[in-house]
Amino acid sequence: MAAPLTDQEKRKQISIRGIVGVENVAELKKGFNRHLHFTLVKDRNVATPRDYYFALAHTVRDHLVGRWIRTQQFYYETDPKRVYYLSLEFYMGRTLQNTMINLGLQNACDEAIYQLGLDMEDLEEMEEDAGLGNGGLGRLAACFLDSMATLGLAAYGYGIRYEYGIFNQKIKNGWQVEEADDWLRHGNPWEKARPEYMLPVHFYGRVEESKEGAKWVDTQVVLAMPYDTPIPGYMNNTVNTMRLWSARAPNDFNLMDFNVGDYIQAVLDRNLAENISRVLYPNDNFFEGKELRLKQEYFVVAATLQDIMRRFKNSKKGSSGPVSFDSFPEKVAIQLNDTHPAMAIPELMRVFVDIEKLDWDTAWAITKRTFAYTNHTVLPEALERWPIGLLETLLPRHLQIIYRINQGHLDEISALFPEDMDRIRRMSLIEEDGGKRVNMAHLCIVGSHAVNGVAEIHSNIIKTDVFRDFSELEPEKFQNKTNGITPRRWLLLCNPGLAELIAEAIGEEYVKDLSQLQKLNELVDDDTFIRDVSKVKQVKSPHPFIRDVSKVKQVKSPHPFIRDVSKVKQDNKEKFSQYLEKEYMVEINPSSMFDVHVKRIHEYKRQLLNCLHIVTMYNRIRKNPKAPFVPRTVIIGGKAAPGYHMAKMIIKLITAVGEVVNKDPVVGSKLKVIYLENYRVSLAEKVIPATDLSEQISTAGTEASGTGNMKFMLNGALTIGTMDGANVEMAEEAGEENMFIFGMRVEDVAEMDVQGYDAMTYYQKIPELKQAIDQINSGFFCPKQPELFKDVTNMLFNHDRFKVFADYEDYITCQEKVNELYQNPREWTKMVIKNIAASGKFSSDRTITDYATEVWGVEPTDLKIPPPNEPREALDETARALREKCYTVATRFLPCLSVANWLILYLKVKLSKKVYHDP
């Protein structure tokens, strides 16, 4: 019989990746084999790697289900205010590893898979990315769901289950080619269809007026089928729900209206309805007023509001007597993620007025207290403005409601500013210029009690410029909520070596309180820690217990977790170098600076400025090959919207420059250029931990916030960037001296807009810029098609809204400072540690806490729901404890409350033993 483990040995088996226990491993192996046999109907002789992935996914999912059900029971018992996050995009990426981390199962799963003779990394690579988003907005929604669960909020994500997500990008001969993202072709083990909650959504038709009020009739019906995905919090047994709607045609769809007598064609016409959830529109920061897009936007809000209303009515309070909607805003908070779900405002008014028969003023007051709106962009081409004609055809009743909302709004403005017709025109929900259109941002502002930008600089711009009239009218309505990222995915999952090293230095609590990273400042001058950070490794070991765990040399240290740790085999850059060499057949120098610029391809993000720097470096090497040069591997990646010609030309230019640079023997290993194909969440998890220099170089005042900048900062990359978006707050937290800041500020850009921007002036006075542009213009990088890049250079000279040339010289000078510091590894690493220590503000936990307390009126909790293996009484006791906590808080204010309000509070905290599972 084996001797019991000592405390030291137990400590070795415990990390932020979970416990490796004999019982855990045996149970996981048993579950794996059971799913392989009974769920997948396979044995080890015929099973494929994908079968093994599905078996593991179902095994991990088993550990979610009990917690998922228990969480919903807990919410029913405690009847908290529920938060509904409405978004047309949820860029979730992969789920398996994130779930293992949040449940504390990763080390145990690693050990079980190793004992089964399989490789965990290979299985993880089998999972398809859930790419239901274009970029930052959708990924932010995914991070928010993680934080809402981790903070114990009763929160739900609502969106569309697109059959095809963001397209797969192929680079062929330097050009972007789009391929459909058939992410569901092998099935999705994480979702659960809920046909019993299928709901009707109406389109078209006409409005009838009667004594009872307006009635929307003769509509076309599409059914919304919900698919639920569990969202686990970090180590708290809370599992929230993301509900995505899929469009289904009713059985009688089109059988009478179309192709009478043609049964086959009538069945085929069902696609007209089901196309609603077929594909994600691949546009980022660009509004395209297509009917199908408007159908998608209304489809998700109509189904979601029916679901919210059902849950409200079925709550413990609602089920005990007649429903009163007076308490609706106290029980329901709805956050609109940009204007895409803006139709929720007139839809809730329609439900209240037409169906629930509330009077208009009461319904409007409840609606405004329920909704809050997040703005994500100041680019005019991105703001949604739907044509009146399209709304009149597709949603006639909603157009009537919007008109009435606008009339009441303009009456208020007219009363305050009776002579200011220009202000009334500017603030109207209906725009007349260039055809009548509904300004959806104005609708969101008027219909919400809170409006926020996503970084301090962005929030100031929308208050003082974009929505200035509204801000002057209701300044208290406008707020800032700086974006954040979840440290679970963007540190623990993607950079386990660094995560473990930090835990050894300051403890594990930082995972749920990222502000504790400030403690690293005490170690900036600690030679041991500096060496460890610069040697953080990701190990692929023959034994999974130490795989992907940071190992450092044994040293005498005050930090006990540093002792007894193995050496590291391979660092993040070496690992990513191997990936690049395998995928792109380009030999990478892993000791070179990894200079990374990954995000959607757009003129305002200025990948062209980066490209000009590459050409400048290339020309300097060619001019003086023997001069000292800090080796660089420049990595650029991102997708261009399929209809965005200039973005596609930018990709072609970068790949053309890269082909010349990479093949030039004079350059050798000093400079390499890689264009990352099909940039997505799972690829970001590989490249971000390997990055030295993060490029965040948008024109000041154009990037609302950015979250990639935060991911790089947390993972130990230094930032070269403009004072734009969240870069400003990063510089405030870390100190501007610990970032590479260059270029015009917002006020400089505004002044240049007034004076006029003349690109030719910069071209003529900066020789290196002139040389680079002349090379691009003359066909140096595409000798077979010398005119290929004329559109690019013409744009740069004649209609560059984002002023690339104006910041070129300062950017090149700043890059020279980067080179200088990189040659001093100690000082570089000290700056890295300062940046990591300053990244605590940029946790999505902090962002969601701000939303919860300042917008939604709910309080995060660290209460841990009892796991499923504990008796039901434990859940009742936890619910009772939470009610008592709420009651204690409430009693502080009892002297100010009426008797009626006191009775309401008493009912809220009344104990109940009813078992109820409400999806």
Side-chain angles (χ1 to χ4, degrees):
M1 184 175 177
L5 295 176
T6 66
D7 288 343
Q8 188 178 33
E9 288 170 331
K10 287 178 182 176
R11 191 164 58 244
K12 282 185 182 180
Q13 291 192 336
I14 300 174
S15 77
I16 49 179
R17 295 157 63 88
I19 300 172
V20 179
V22 175
E23 302 85 357
N24 294 0
V25 173
E27 181 190 357
L28 289 166
K29 287 166 64 179
K30 183 178 178 181
F32 179 92
N33 287 324
R34 176 169 53 83
H35 280 296
L36 189 64
H37 187 82
F38 290 105
T39 306
L40 299 168
V41 197
K42 291 285 186 75
D43 64 22
R44 295 291 294 269
N45 295 314
V46 295
T48 66
R50 180 163 280 107
D51 292 325
Y52 294 138
Y53 157 71
F54 271 93
L56 177 58
H58 282 291
T59 303
V60 173
R61 184 176 177 271
D62 288 346
H63 289 258
L64 278 173
V65 170
R67 291 171 170 84
W68 198 5
I69 293 173
R70 180 158 275 197
T71 299
Q72 304 313 311
Q73 292 174 341
F74 182 73
Y75 290 160
Y76 183 78
E77 290 296 323
T78 55
D79 194 22
K81 184 173 185 178
R82 302 181 194 236
V83 176
Y84 298 97
Y85 196 81
L86 271 60
S87 179
L88 268 287
E89 300 181 21
F90 286 97
Y91 206 170
M92 304 301 291
R94 292 170 175 166
T95 298
L96 173 61
Q97 193 178 0
N98 187 73
T99 302
M100 292 189 296
I101 286 171
N102 279 10
L103 294 184
L105 285 175
Q106 180 147 27
N107 274 338
C109 286
D110 278 352
E111 179 68 26
I113 293 302
Y114 170 75
Q115 290 184 15
L116 288 165
L118 301 170
D119 184 277
M120 178 63 88
E121 283 190 0
D122 291 344
L123 300 192
E124 289 168 352
E125 287 297 317
M126 296 306 301
E127 183 174 3
E128 300 280 350
D129 277 51
L132 308 185
N134 279 283
L137 178 143
R139 184 52 234 174
L140 181 77
C143 285
F144 279 4
L145 292 185
D146 179 274
S147 285
M148 287 188 278
T150 297
L151 294 170
L153 302 181
Y156 303 76
Y158 275 95
I160 293 179
R161 180 183 180 266
Y162 300 105
E163 190 175 331
Y164 295 91
I166 187 65
F167 61 88
N168 285 322
Q169 178 197 56
K170 300 292 182 185
I171 303 296
K172 298 182 178 179
N173 298 319
W175 294 101
Q176 171 177 293
V177 176
E178 300 88 21
E179 293 182 356
D181 172 33
D182 191 8
W183 72 288
L184 292 170
R185 64 187 179 277
H186 298 295
N188 178 6
W190 303 106
E191 66 183 8
K192 174 68 177 75
R194 302 282 194 187
E196 67 273 23
Y197 292 105
M198 194 148 53
L199 296 167
V201 176
H202 298 261
F203 296 98
Y204 303 109
R206 58 190 175 83
V207 181
E208 279 186 355
E209 298 291 346
S210 66
K211 292 181 180 179
E212 289 76 30
K215 192 175 182 182
W216 189 15
V217 298
D218 297 337
T219 57
Q220 182 187 98
V221 177
V222 177
L223 299 178
M225 163 86 89
Y227 285 80
D228 289 354
T229 299
I231 307 294
Y234 180 71
M235 302 293 284
N236 65 350
N237 297 324
T238 294
V239 180
N240 284 342
T241 301
M242 176 178 68
R243 175 162 286 183
L244 303 181
W245 301 101
S246 180
R248 296 285 187 271
N251 288 333
D252 60 352
F253 181 80
N254 280 348
L255 292 181
M256 296 300 293
D257 298 334
F258 290 88
N259 303 301
V260 175
D262 188 346
Y263 163 73
I264 297 297
Q265 188 58 50
V267 173
L268 295 178
D269 282 339
R270 293 166 62 91
N271 283 335
L272 297 174
E274 296 177 356
N275 280 342
I276 289 174
S277 59
R278 192 78 68 200
V279 62
L280 168 75
Y281 269 85
N283 282 324
D284 187 51
N285 283 309
F286 182 78
F287 169 63
E288 193 173 8
K290 297 292 182 68
E291 180 177 344
L292 178 57
R293 176 63 171 180
L294 182 57
K295 278 186 173 180
Q296 289 181 340
E297 294 184 356
Y298 178 67
F299 173 76
V300 68
V301 303
T304 298
L305 286 175
Q306 289 181 71
D307 218 32
I308 292 172
M309 199 65 69
R310 172 191 61 80
R311 195 175 285 114
F312 173 76
K313 291 180 177 180
N314 290 342
S315 68
K316 291 178 71 173
K317 180 182 176 184
S319 60
S320 61
V323 175
S324 169
F325 289 103
D326 294 341
S327 64
F328 194 81
E330 277 75 52
K331 288 299 179 184
V332 174
I334 302 176
Q335 189 71 36
L336 304 176
N337 192 27
D338 217 345
T339 55
H340 310 143
M343 290 305 298
I345 293 172
E347 172 65 5
L348 186 58
M349 286 298 293
R350 186 187 71 83
V351 170
F352 280 149
V353 174
D354 294 358
I355 298 174
E356 303 296 341
K357 302 303 180 183
L358 299 184
D359 68 88
W360 179 271
D361 291 341
T362 300
W364 183 236
I366 294 171
T367 296
K368 287 186 69 172
R369 290 169 60 202
T370 300
F371 284 105
Y373 160 55
T374 299
N375 173 274
H376 282 279
T377 183
V378 298
L379 298 180
E381 65 267 30
L383 298 176
E384 289 191 304
R385 295 174 168 90
W386 286 105
I388 291 293
L390 179 56
L391 279 167
E392 193 169 31
T393 301
L394 192 66
L395 301 167
R397 177 58 180 146
H398 297 77
L399 181 59
Q400 287 184 347
I401 291 171
I402 290 170
Y403 274 137
R404 184 164 177 184
I405 292 171
N406 191 44
Q407 187 60 56
H409 166 61
L410 294 184
D411 287 346
E412 292 179 9
I413 306 303
S414 299
L416 292 169
F417 307 98
E419 305 298 325
D420 196 344
M421 295 307 297
D422 193 48
R423 179 187 290 267
I424 293 171
R425 177 190 59 77
R426 292 195 309 267
M427 296 184 73
S428 175
L429 274 57
I430 312 298
E431 296 182 346
E432 304 284 349
D433 300 338
K436 292 183 74 172
R437 301 175 298 175
V438 178
N439 185 314
M440 304 307 280
H442 289 185
L443 174 61
C444 287
I445 294 169
V446 171
S448 299
H449 70 276
V451 177
N452 71 277
V454 289
E456 284 283 0
I457 187 172
H458 169 234
S459 296
N460 289 334
I461 288 171
I462 66 174
K463 283 191 288 187
T464 59
D465 185 5
V466 184
F467 304 129
R468 178 178 176 179
D469 293 319
F470 293 92
S471 176
E472 288 176 349
L473 189 67
E474 298 180 283
E476 72 285 349
K477 180 182 282 191
F478 286 79
Q479 304 183 14
N480 174 62
K481 297 289 173 282
T482 299
N483 283 345
I485 58 172
T486 167
R488 272 72 66 181
R489 184 177 293 268
W490 297 112
L491 185 58
L492 271 65
L493 185 154
C494 72
N495 201 346
L498 181 59
E500 198 76 20
L501 186 64
I502 293 171
E504 290 167 348
I506 65 172
E508 301 172 13
E509 293 303 312
Y510 77 89
V511 178
K512 292 181 73 172
D513 178 11
L514 208 61
S515 66
Q516 293 196 24
L517 291 178
Q518 293 174 358
K519 295 176 183 177
L520 295 176
N521 282 318
E522 301 168 9
L523 303 173
V524 167
D525 295 315
D526 184 324
D527 288 338
T528 298
F529 189 74
I530 289 174
R531 187 181 69 241
D532 293 346
V533 169
S534 64
K535 288 190 173 184
V536 167
K537 309 291 182 179
Q538 283 184 325
V539 181
K540 186 168 182 180
S541 162
H543 193 286
F545 177 64
I546 58 172
R547 185 181 72 76
D548 285 340
V549 179
S550 169
K551 306 302 176 185
V552 293
K553 293 181 180 179
Q554 274 189 305
V555 291
K556 291 182 179 179
S557 165
H559 308 296
F561 288 104
I562 293 178
R563 295 196 300 266
D564 304 322
V565 204
S566 311
K567 290 183 180 180
V568 221
K569 281 193 178 178
Q570 188 175 5
D571 64 17
N572 297 333
K573 288 172 68 176
E574 288 171 345
K575 185 173 183 179
F576 193 60
S577 296
Q578 293 172 4
Y579 172 85
L580 293 177
E581 289 175 5
K582 177 184 174 185
E583 294 293 322
Y584 299 96
M585 307 301 174
V586 175
E587 186 176 347
I588 303 296
N589 175 6
S591 63
S592 65
M593 183 196 306
F594 279 23
D595 175 350
V596 178
H597 195 178
V598 283
K599 50 186 77 243
R600 287 301 295 265
I601 307 301
H602 198 292
E603 289 167 77
Y604 89 86
K605 294 179 184 288
R606 298 204 294 191
Q607 286 89 357
L608 279 173
L609 182 57
N610 193 345
C611 190
L612 290 174
H613 177 236
I614 296 170
V615 175
T616 301
M617 288 190 291
Y618 174 69
N619 289 334
R620 288 179 177 180
I621 295 170
R622 292 277 301 179
K623 183 178 180 181
N624 192 353
K626 295 184 178 179
F629 188 86
V630 177
R632 283 203 192 209
T633 300
V634 181
I635 300 167
I636 301 175
K639 296 176 181 178
Y644 190 174
H645 169 70
M646 187 53 63
K648 288 189 163 184
M649 290 305 303
I650 290 169
I651 292 175
K652 176 60 177 175
L653 175 60
I654 294 167
T655 56
V657 170
E659 190 169 352
V660 171
V661 170
N662 294 343
K663 291 181 178 178
D664 194 324
V666 175
V667 174
S669 63
K670 291 180 180 178
L671 180 62
K672 295 293 181 186
V673 181
I674 301 289
Y675 195 90
L676 282 183
E677 185 179 74
N678 201 34
Y679 183 64
R680 59 201 183 279
V681 174
S682 59
L683 187 49
E685 292 164 5
K686 292 181 174 67
V687 65
I688 288 172
T691 299
D692 293 309
L693 185 68
S694 161
E695 300 269 354
Q696 309 295 333
I697 58 176
S698 54
T699 309
T702 59
E703 184 73 86
S705 171
T707 53
N709 46 5
M710 303 170 186
K711 293 160 192 168
F712 285 109
M713 183 187 197
L714 180 59
N715 280 274
L718 299 185
T719 301
I720 182 168
T722 51
M723 281 301 229
D724 195 25
N727 291 357
V728 176
E729 288 160 81
M730 288 164 56
E732 289 172 356
E733 295 295 308
E736 198 170 327
E737 70 279 5
N738 291 310
M739 294 173 66
F740 300 102
I741 301 297
F742 74 94
M744 295 180 290
R745 310 290 170 112
V746 169
E747 54 273 19
D748 300 324
V749 175
E751 185 179 344
M752 184 172 286
D753 285 333
V754 173
Q755 295 178 349
Y757 165 63
D758 181 13
M760 185 60 71
T761 302
Y762 299 95
Y763 168 79
Q764 291 173 340
K765 78 173 185 180
I766 306 172
E768 286 188 315
L769 173 62
K770 183 177 187 302
Q771 181 185 8
I773 292 298
D774 288 347
Q775 287 171 307
I776 293 169
N777 207 34
S778 66
F780 178 87
F781 296 106
C782 53
K784 293 181 180 178
Q785 295 176 275
E787 303 288 314
L788 183 60
F789 298 119
K790 291 290 185 183
D791 284 352
V792 176
T793 54
N794 178 58
M795 179 275 291
L796 287 171
F797 278 115
N798 300 311
H799 47 92
D800 177 12
R801 296 160 54 201
F802 305 107
K803 306 172 181 61
V804 169
F805 289 2
D807 275 343
Y808 169 84
E809 193 169 28
D810 200 16
Y811 179 55
I812 299 298
T813 302
C814 194
Q815 288 283 13
E816 290 167 359
K817 295 176 184 175
V818 172
N819 288 334
E820 183 180 350
L821 186 66
Y822 193 73
Q823 294 177 79
N824 187 335
R826 176 182 167 80
E827 291 304 312
W828 179 279
T829 306
K830 285 176 68 173
M831 194 179 286
V832 163
I833 295 171
K834 289 176 183 177
N835 272 264
I836 296 171
S839 60
K841 175 181 179 177
F842 305 107
S843 168
S844 51
D845 296 347
R846 189 270 315 152
T847 312
I848 290 299
T849 298
D850 290 349
Y851 273 106
T853 56
E854 298 168 17
V855 178
W856 303 330
V858 295
E859 285 290 336
T861 175
D862 55 2
L863 202 67
K864 191 171 182 179
I865 296 176
N869 59 343
E870 290 191 16
R872 169 72 201 190
E873 288 73 21
L875 182 65
D876 293 335
E877 181 63 24
T878 306
R880 186 192 63 77
L882 184 62
R883 287 194 205 95
E884 286 189 353
K885 183 178 179 182
C886 295
Y887 182 77
T888 302
V889 172
T891 54
R892 297 176 190 170
F893 305 100
L894 280 179
C896 307
L897 296 175
S898 66
V899 173
N901 283 338
W902 189 92
L903 289 172
I904 291 171
L905 280 172
Y906 175 77
L907 290 173
K908 285 181 180 179
V909 299
K910 185 179 177 183
L911 294 178
S912 170
K913 298 292 183 181
K914 183 176 179 181
V915 179
Y916 184 79
H917 170 45
D918 174 19

